[in-house]
Structure formats: structure tokens, C-alpha cells
Amino acid sequence: MLKIMAVNAGSSSLKFKLMNMPEESVITEGVIERIGAEDAYYTIKINGNKQKQVLPVRNHSEAVNLLLNDLVGKNIVASLMEIKGIGHRIVQGGAYFSDSALITPKAIEIIRDYCSLAPLHNPANLIAIEAFQNALPGVPNVAVFDTSFHQTMEPEAYMYAVPYEWYTKYNIRKYGFHGTSHKYVSHKIAEVLGKPLADLKVITLHIGNGASIAAIKNGKVVDTSMGLTPLEGIPMGTRSGNIDPTIVEFICNKEHLSVSQVLAILNKKSGYLGVSGFWNDSRDLEEEVAKGNARCRLALDVQYKRIVDYIGSYYLYMGGLDVLVFTAGIGENSISFRKDIINRLGALGIVLDEEANNTRGKIKEITKPESKVRAFIVPTDEEVMIARDTVRLANL
Ligand code: AMP
């Protein structure tokens, strides 16, 4: 049995899951939030019990040491030597990484080069890698990129119609994100259907606070909704998704804001939050809609309409569709979300099974036998994918 640590470092957080492989069972999991603060939050789940602590955690290095000391201190492992590999979620792997990769000095150099494309994420990922390398010398670290599953797109799908030199000089193109999740659920649905992914046309809807859609034909991503950054695509909890880019200059002038300030609004104060005025969580929006709140209904409808636009476009681009997969916080849990999306797809001959749709968070077919396209809920598990790739790339 191999113990593998899956790590997801954000700009001020560190999520972790320690797993037994190849069983894929979880030994412990948790998160350290507000890294950099005197009152950071540390949550760790042991045997199903959550333990919470508030304490100072100055940087990611301290966060890693806190976690590793606790694993021994709480007898989760007898010795840190039991951890045989560490897998890191890395947001931006650019065009260089079309698969996960063993972390070598060369890999670190390339991840560093891509920091300009993901200035909030890649630097935090690098700090976490270094902290684990220092704490567990000799244990292999593997990078699992959010972008690599999407590297199969053709140039016609990933190029923007802008001056070509922007691409050659600055790597401006669509990369796509949530790749680990799209990969996990597409492989899982092939397994559930008992067919090779290579024989299927799949659309995966990863709809959580962040949201993206991927079209996967014969096992390869042919298009996805996020772009150079996660801002492109459908409206999300706080992101606008696609807008006319001239709006940026217009608002800069009207509100006397810089481009960065307007982009921060498009990332953090738009989407559900922007349209509703108050709420970025779909549960709150659904509650408000039930009370008759029209702005909340509009916030959802604006997103749903765009999701259906993407599905229609991917249906044509792939020349059909076998299965639609709902995943992530909203896709897995919101009954009304799935119902509304499927009911808007009548032209594709999809028939919802209302009773089956009355399900949360587990694998379930939610369309009727006569449906021309099948739809399923498939809970995502990015950490399992990270642990699998760590075992594969580190040859464990
Ligand atoms: P994620 O980013 O994947 O963690 O997803 C977060 C989103 O999932 C939030 O908007 C949550 O409101 C939503 N979510 C989680 N559970 C439910 C639920 N039971 N019903 C509706 N939305 C949910």
C-alpha cells in the first residue's frame, strides 16, 4: 500500500488529501486557510471527525511543516518516510506540458516561466513544491496541471483571432482549466458505460463556484470554455465569463478605475454575485428564487442560457453527443440546476428522468431510456486523479 499526498496550494490556502494507493482510500484530508495571517484556519479530518484550529501561519512553508508535524503527532503516519510521493495541482502548464510531469529542476523552470500567465496561482504552487522538497528530501513530487488535458485541442479551437505575434511572442491562446476534473469524470463515465472513452462523444459540465465545460471526442478534448485564464467562458459564482472586451475601457473611463481594477471586478464581483447584487452561492440564489427574487432568477438564467449555448455549439462541433456529465458543487448537488439545463436542451432529444434527478453527489443516470442523449451525475475527484498520476509518473 502506498501513501500519496495530493496538494492543492492557492495564493493563501493549502488543501491536502493523504491517500492509500492503489485503493484510492482517504487517510486524512483538510485545508489550511488564510496563510499569511496571525489567525489562519487549520482544519483536518481524522476518522470522519473534523478538527479545527486558529493559529498563526506565516507562509506556505510553515503550513507544510504544520501539516507534516501533525501527521506524525496525531499518529496518522508512524513516520513521514511512509509518504512515498507528493502530487501537486499546478494551474498553468502552458503548451509545454501535455501530461502530468515528475518535478525536476527543468520542470520547475518551466512552471516559473508560466507565472506571468497565472500570476496568482503558479507562484503559490512553486512555494508548496519547495516546502515539500525541503521537508521530505528524496521523495518524488509530481506536477498535475489544470491545463494539460486540454492540450489536444486543434489550433482552430485554441487560437484567438488577434495578431498572430501575440501568440508567438507571448503565448496568448486558449489553454482551458479544471482539466484534472474533466479528465477524471470523462474516464469515469466511460467506465460506467462500459465503453472505451475513445468511442464516445462526451460533454463534461464542471459547474461549481468556478465553472467550465469541455467537449471530449474519442478521448480527446476538442474544445473547452475557459481560455488564457479562467475568466473566459460561462458566467460563474463571481466571474463574468465572456463579455465584449470594450466594456473594460468604457468602465475604466466612467468609474475612474484602472484596467486591473476592472478585471478584479470581472473576476470577483461579477457572475451570480454581480447580477444578483448579493449572492455568489447557488444555494442562496435558489432560496431567493423560491421567495420570488427576480434578480436572482436572472443571475441563474444568464448562466443557464450561456451553458446551453456552449452545449449546442459543442454538439455541432463534435457531430453529435453520447453523454452529458454533470459535476462539481452545483452540477453534483443542485437538482433544479440540472433540471433547468436539461429542459432547455429539448432540441437534442434529451429526456430528463425527474425522479432519478432527485439525487445529490453520487453517480446516477438522470435521463429516461428513450433519451437520445444520456445524462449522468458523476462526482469529481481531482485528488484521486492527482494521486493516480503521482504513482504513474514517479513509477511507484
Ligand atoms: P465547488 O466550487 O465545486 O466547491 O462548488 C461550489 C458551489 O456548489 C457553490 O455555489 C455551492 O452553492 C454549490 N453547492 C454545493 N452544494 C449544493 C447544493 N446542495 N445545492 C445547490 N448548490 C450546491
Side-chain angles (χ1 to χ4, degrees), residues 195-216:
K195 288 187 182 159
L197 190 57
D199 292 346
L200 291 171
K201 292 175 181 137
V202 186
I203 293 178
T204 46
L205 303 171
H206 175 111
I207 314 294
N209 194 33
S212 70
I213 307 180
I216 303 160

Side-chain angles (χ1 to χ4, degrees), residues 94-107:
Y96 186 87
F97 293 105
S98 56
D99 191 3
S100 304
L102 190 64
I103 292 174
T104 58
K106 169 90 179 154

Side-chain angles (χ1 to χ4, degrees), residues 161-302:
V162 294
Y164 194 75
E165 296 69 34
W166 294 5
Y167 170 62
T168 51
K169 278 170 127 170
Y170 308 120
N171 301 312
I172 300 292
R173 50 159 282 182
K174 175 185 278 196
Y175 292 100
F177 298 88
H178 295 142
T180 311
S181 173
H182 290 293
K183 184 175 177 183
Y184 176 85
V185 297
S186 59
H187 280 84
K188 181 56 92 182
I189 196 63
E191 197 184 307
V192 169
L193 295 176
K195 288 187 182 159
L197 190 57
D199 292 346
L200 291 171
K201 292 175 181 137
V202 186
I203 293 178
T204 46
L205 303 171
H206 175 111
I207 314 294
N209 194 33
S212 70
I213 307 180
I216 303 160
K217 185 179 181 181
N218 306 336
K220 291 183 174 160
V221 173
V222 293
D223 205 353
T224 189
S225 59
M226 283 181 169
L228 174 76
T229 74
L231 185 55
E232 190 182 341
I234 56 172
M236 313 176 201
T238 64
R239 294 192 188 111
S240 62
N242 296 344
I243 61 163
D244 180 336
T246 58
I247 293 171
V248 174
E249 188 195 26
F250 187 91
I251 296 298
C252 283
N253 293 337
K254 289 284 182 197
E255 302 260 322
H256 309 292
L257 297 173
S258 67
V259 169
S260 304
Q261 286 172 315
V262 175
L263 284 177
I265 295 171
L266 295 176
N267 269 300
K268 298 194 175 129
K269 302 243 182 278
S270 301
Y272 286 166
L273 177 61
V275 179
S276 74
F278 290 100
W279 296 277
N280 72 300
D281 189 301
S282 70
R283 282 167 291 203
D284 295 330
L285 287 169
E286 288 176 16
E287 252 177 54
E288 285 298 312
V289 167
K291 291 186 218 154
N293 185 326
R295 282 262 298 272
C296 288
R297 182 69 259 168
L298 181 64
L300 296 177
D301 284 341
V302 168

Side-chain angles (χ1 to χ4, degrees), residues 15 178 206-211 237 272 280-284 286 327-337 360 380 382:
K15 279 191 212 142
H178 295 142
H206 175 111
I207 314 294
N209 194 33
Y272 286 166
N280 72 300
D281 189 301
S282 70
R283 282 167 291 203
D284 295 330
E286 288 176 16
T327 196
I330 299 170
E332 291 167 27
N333 293 301
S334 174
I335 294 162
S336 64
F337 167 77
R360 294 182 202 274
T380 194
E382 290 163 279

